[in-house]
């Protein structure tokens, strides 16, 4: 083996790896559990939200962990990094609503004619989280993150059911935004900050970026045998 | 006046535009093709692994129309206020070079011959009174026999994989028994059945139906097409619909036509060029060219041309006709005018079947065009007499590669949890052990379903948005319910442990929030009567004879089949008649 070639036993210097994960051109030679765990641990320790304040960020951690709870199937939204995922999405064109038609007038109509509010995702989160905290204090006398899981579930159920208005935002609209982005954070490639350790994909049995099933079009109902790989080369 | 003159200007760099551009440059014309979106090539934007990133691709809708610049408004009925379609959901038009032809799945059908003369066919069998009040049932004005050479030509360009039933009158294979005769076989052998498709094939056969492999513009092996463009074999990676194929396996204008066209000095492609209008002379009977805006510099340019081809997405073609004053806008009250008339969709519902937990359907494996279907309830293949509706649906398993975010966000509902631990259990079980069965049905045209210009909302260029007035009608709801009821015995024969049969219900309005299909049609339809069609049978405007309008906008009804194969055949049909007749003597190809 050439002396300078990185191997799993003698990995690349950490700073080099840090510089490359998250770029899509980087493809690790292979992966290992140790790499996965150390990178995930580092992500948890070092991530500082840039759009949300700490209270909002903690709300996202708690709410995503009720929408997608930790259970016998595997980890929940908090451990999977959903809050980081959503925070990072707020800095993208999506967060700014740049692909939505946002010209007025804004006029409400039947639900089946779709979203008609003048708010982009960044507005929906800022106003929606504040609205949920107000609702939580009114109903339970505490902020959302201080409530027991069963009470958090009651609030989420009320939002989903459409009976709660969060200031300018219908509770149902905020719930759907939060549910959609939570599930994206659970199952998107980890380069966006969620799906830590590829654990979302492991639960589903999705092999990630393999994108080659030449021999697997039909194996008579057998489970696909190879675990997932991410775009940056992380495996699980 | 124009800064520059070309023989032909083409609006839109999708399949329709690219086919016309190839044909017209072959005829010796100088051609400029204008595309409002960005340049896209496989080796840059389509390269692995970025191309198989679900969030970047289908979820954040990278290849689709950017609604912030231009969208439509939608209402269900004439008495409602239409509201803007602010977020992409129900349908996903393409944008950028390749258009919707870059992000499509690749299901590449011909046409059920009787769908081309549906009005005549229904009247011959059941009498004129069978057609419900308010249904604008019409013939295309062209027959399958006339189009056959152009279906054949398109398949050889697309590298279509399939299994024929009948070639030159002889039964040659295990293909669709309802399909018409072909002049030659598919250029590539049939795609493999996925496991889910093979289960459907066996069950459909045992239920007494006639399963066949979907014709797929996904290459089953290496192929070099008519133009010398190359395709590689599909590996069932599952990233077709919503993605650009990194393997050069899914046919697209970018892979199958543009590599040849770009080398032709008579051809030029201008991306980021949003066409504002077709310019007409003072008589409004002749187009002088087009005016477009460079979306980056905001500079307007007029281009003069002898021939104008509209090859934009279905409703964008109709929008351009309306804002340019080509033809008479349709008015549903007086029932006059043609531009906007017969706006149609498809009637599609997806059902789900669960197999035993020892069986893994590996739904992430797939190819967009591959699958197994039955046509026993499509077109005029069954007796509509006692059923009292017009139209039908193919039924199929088209496992195209189910990605996790799509699976997760779509899971739950209908009485089952949409979040929490019970949701996780159900999601995982459904992902691993179930398969989807679609009823992919027709949609008829109605007097009060149409397109016009919205009175209130405008696009980023100050032009009125197109307004859609559309909802589900009783005829199509009953058709969908009937066909979905036929799925149950097939699911039982599969050994289903559970099934969720989904159909439309009476009174259910069209819902813009849920993806249904991008197969919009009509609005500027072809036909034999200028009172009831905007285009003649050569897709030439009855009113402005140097404008041809190519796309599913020409379909008088929404057919059960996917539209791209029909659009490609119509494009080659039109091109043939421009080349052989129109160019020798420009003017109307049919006298009004």
């Amino acid at each position: 083996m050439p002396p300078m070639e990185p191997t799993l036993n003698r990995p690349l210097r950490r700073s080099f790896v840090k510089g490359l994960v998250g770029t899509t051109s980087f493809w690790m030679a292979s992966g290992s559990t140790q790499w996965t765990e150390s990178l995930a641990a580092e992500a948890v320790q070092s991530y500082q939200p840039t759009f949300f304040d700490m209270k909002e960020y903690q709300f996202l951690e708690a709410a995503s962990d009720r929408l997608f709870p930790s259970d016998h199937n595997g980890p929940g939204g908090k451990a999977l990094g959903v809050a980081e995922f959503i925070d990072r999405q707020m800095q993208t064109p999506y967060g700014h609503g740049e692909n939505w038609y946002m010209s007025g007038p804004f006029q409400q109509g039947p639900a089946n004619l779709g979203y008609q509010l003048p708010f982009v995702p960044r507005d929906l989160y800022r106003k929606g989280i504040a609205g949920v905290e107000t609702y939580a204090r009114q109903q339970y006398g505490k902020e959302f993150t201080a409530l027991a899981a069963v009470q958090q579930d009651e609030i989420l159920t009320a939002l989903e059911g459409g009976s709660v208005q969060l200031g300018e935002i219908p509770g149902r609209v905020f719930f759907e935004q939060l549910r959609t982005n939570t599930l994206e954070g659970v199952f998107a490639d980890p380069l966006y900050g969620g799906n830590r350790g590829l654990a979302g994909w492991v639960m589903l049995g999705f092999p990630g970026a393999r994108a080659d099933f030449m021999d697997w079009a039909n194996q008579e109902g057998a489970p696909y045998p190879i675990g997932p790989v991410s775009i940056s080369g992380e495996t699980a | 006046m124009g800064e520059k003159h070309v023989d032909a200007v083409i609006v839109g760099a999708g399949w329709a535009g690219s086919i016309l551009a190839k044909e017209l440059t072959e005829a010796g014309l100088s051609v400029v093709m204008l595309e409002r979106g960005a340049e896209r090539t496989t080796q840059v934007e389509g390269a692995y692994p970025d191309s198989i990133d679900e969030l970047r691709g289908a979820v954040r809708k990278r290849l689709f129309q950017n609604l912030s610049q231009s969208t439509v408004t939608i209402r269900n009925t004439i008495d409602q206020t239409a509201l803007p379609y602010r977020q992409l959901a129900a349908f996903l038009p393409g944008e950028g070079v390749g258009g919707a032809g870059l992000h499509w799945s690749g299901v590449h059908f011909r046409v059920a011959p009787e769908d081309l003369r549906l009005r005549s066919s229904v009247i011959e069998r059941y009498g004129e009174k069978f057609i419900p009040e308010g249904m604008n049932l019409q013939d295309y004005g062209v027959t399958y026999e006339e189009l056959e050479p152009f279906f054949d030509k398109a398949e050889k360009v697309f590298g279509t994989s399939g299994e024929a039933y009948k070639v030159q009158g002889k039964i040659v294979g295990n293909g669709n028994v309802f399909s018409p005769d072909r002049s030659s076989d598919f250029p590539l052998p049939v795609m493999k059945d996925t496991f889910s498709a093979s289960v459907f094939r066996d069950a459909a056969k045992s239920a007494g139906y006639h399963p066949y492999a979907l014709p797929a513009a996904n290459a089953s092996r290496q192929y070099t097409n008519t133009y010398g463009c190359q395709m590689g074999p599909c590996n069932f990676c599952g990233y077709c619909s919503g993605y650009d194929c990194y393997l050069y396996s899914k046919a697209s204008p970018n892979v199958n036509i543009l590599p040849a066209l770009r080398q032709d000095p008579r051809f030029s492609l201008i991306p980021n060029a949003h066409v504002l209008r077709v310019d007409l002379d003072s008589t409004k009977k002749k187009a002088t060219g087009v005016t477009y805006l460079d979306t980056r510099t905001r500079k307007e340019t007029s281009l003069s041309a002898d021939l104008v081809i509209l090859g934009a997405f279905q409703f964008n073609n109709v929008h351009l006709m309306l804002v340019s004053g080509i033809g008479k806008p349709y008015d549903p009250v007086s029932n006059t005018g043609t531009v906007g008339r017969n706006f149609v969709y498809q009637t599609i519902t997806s059902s789900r079947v669960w197999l035993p937990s020892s069986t893994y359907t590996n739904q992430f494996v797939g190819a967009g065009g591959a699958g197994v279907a039955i046509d026993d309830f499509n077109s005029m293949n069954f007796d509509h007499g006692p059923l009292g509706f017009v139209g039908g649906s193919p039924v199929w398993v088209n496992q195209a590669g189910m990605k996790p975010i799509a699976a997760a966000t779509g899971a739950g509902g209908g009485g089952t949890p949409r979040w929490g631990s019970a949701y996780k259990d159900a999601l995982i079980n459904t992902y691993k052990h179930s398969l989807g069965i679609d009823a992919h049905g027709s949609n008829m045209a109605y007097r009060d379903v149409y397109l016009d210009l919205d009175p209130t909302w405008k696009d980023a260029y100050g032009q009125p948005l197109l307004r859609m007035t559309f909802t589900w009608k009783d005829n199509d709801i009953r058709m969908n319910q009937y066909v979905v009821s036929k799925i149950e015995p097939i699911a039982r024969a599969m050994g289903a442990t559970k099934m969720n049969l989904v159909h439309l219900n009476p009174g259910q309005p069209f819902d813009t929030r849920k993806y249904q299909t991008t197969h919009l049609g009509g609005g500027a339809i072809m036909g034999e009567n200028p009172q009831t069609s905007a285009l003649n049978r050569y897709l030439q405007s009855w009113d402005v004879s140097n404008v041809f309008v190519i796309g599913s906008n020409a379909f008088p009804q929404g057919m059960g089949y996917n539209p791209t194969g029909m659009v490609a055949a119509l494009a080659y049909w039109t091109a043939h008649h421009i080349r052989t007749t129109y160019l020798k003597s420009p003017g109307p190809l049919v006298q009004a």
Side-chain angles (χ1 to χ4, degrees), chain B residues 102-181:
Chain B
L102 183 59
H103 73 71
W104 73 315
S105 292
V107 177
H108 186 188
F109 275 108
R110 292 190 169 194
V111 69
E114 285 182 293
D115 281 353
L116 294 177
R117 49 186 305 280
L118 197 56
R119 179 180 182 85
S120 299
S121 189
V122 166
I123 291 172
E124 281 160 20
R125 287 204 211 174
Y126 308 116
E128 195 158 359
K129 283 188 181 153
F130 194 81
I131 301 170
E133 176 73 25
M135 184 189 285
N136 285 347
L137 193 61
Q138 290 183 213
D139 295 347
Y140 281 67
V142 65
T143 66
Y144 173 75
E145 288 69 27
E146 288 174 307
L147 289 180
E148 202 287 332
F150 306 102
F151 281 116
D152 186 71
K153 184 170 183 171
E155 287 171 356
K156 290 178 168 71
V157 170
F158 283 50
T160 306
S161 305
E163 183 166 26
Y165 175 64
K166 220 190 285 175
V167 175
Q168 297 190 10
K170 280 196 188 130
I171 295 172
V172 296
N174 196 28
N176 180 9
V177 299
F178 297 101
S179 64
D181 196 27

Side-chain angles (χ1 to χ4, degrees), chain A residues 24 67 69 71-75 89 100-101 103 105 112 116 160 176 179 184 192 209 211 213-214 217 221-222, chain B residues 48 50 53 60 76 84 86-87 192 194-195 235-236 246 360 362 411 418-421 424-425 457-458 510 512:
Chain A
T24 54
L67 294 173
D71 65 8
H72 63 277
N73 294 300
Q89 286 297 302
W100 294 359
Y101 179 76
S103 300
N112 66 294
Q116 299 297 336
E160 183 186 25
E176 293 301 330
R179 175 183 182 269
E184 289 168 358
Y192 299 100
F213 306 112
M214 191 63 107
Chain B
Y48 180 90
D50 291 10
D53 178 341
R60 293 287 176 262
N76 295 129
R86 297 185 182 275
Q87 302 173 343
K192 282 182 269 192
T194 59
F195 171 67
N235 73 355
F236 288 82
Y246 76 93
Y360 289 76
N362 296 321
R418 297 177 67 241
W419 54 282
S421 201
K424 276 179 80 174
D425 287 343
W457 282 276
K458 295 193 170 8
F510 170 56
T512 66

Side-chain angles (χ1 to χ4, degrees), chain A residues 13-24:
Chain A
R13 281 189 302 118
R14 186 52 169 271
S15 58
F16 179 51
V17 174
K18 268 183 75 178
L20 287 175
V21 286
T23 70
T24 54

Side-chain angles (χ1 to χ4, degrees), chain B residues 11 275-278 280 308-329 338-341 451 453 463 466 522-526 533-536 539-544 547-550 553-554:
Chain B
V11 182
V275 175
L276 295 166
R277 65 185 167 273
V278 178
L280 305 180
V308 175
I309 308 288
L310 302 186
F313 189 74
Q314 173 262 343
F315 62 70
N316 293 324
N317 277 347
V318 178
H319 185 249
L320 265 177
M321 292 177 79
L322 288 170
V323 295
S324 305
I326 298 172
K328 189 178 174 195
T338 56
V339 182
R341 191 176 186 277
L451 301 172
L453 294 176
Q463 293 187 308
L466 190 71
I525 67 170
M526 61 192 293
S533 62
L535 312 175
N536 67 26
L539 287 82
Q540 179 182 36
S541 164
W542 287 109
D543 301 278
V544 183
V547 172
F548 290 78
V549 187
I550 321 295
N553 56 268

Side-chain angles (χ1 to χ4, degrees), chain B residues 65-96:
Chain B
Q65 182 171 333
N66 182 347
L67 297 189
S68 73
Q69 301 303 297
S70 177
T71 184
V72 295
T73 63
I74 307 176
R75 60 182 178 176
N76 295 129
T77 54
I78 288 181
D79 59 359
Q80 279 183 315
T81 300
L83 296 175
Y85 180 59
R86 297 185 182 275
Q87 302 173 343
L88 284 170
F91 47 86
L92 306 168
E95 190 165 282

Side-chain angles (χ1 to χ4, degrees), chain B residues 5 8 20 35 62 75 99 159 172 184 208 213 218 251 255 280 283 310 313 344 371 428 458 464 513 548 568 577 580:
Chain B
H5 181 85
L20 266 293
E35 165 55 47
R62 186 172 68 94
R75 60 182 178 176
V172 296
S184 67
N218 306 145
V255 168
L280 305 180
T283 69
L310 302 186
F313 189 74
V344 294
I428 293 165
K458 295 193 170 8
R513 297 169 298 175
F548 290 78
H577 291 282
T580 56

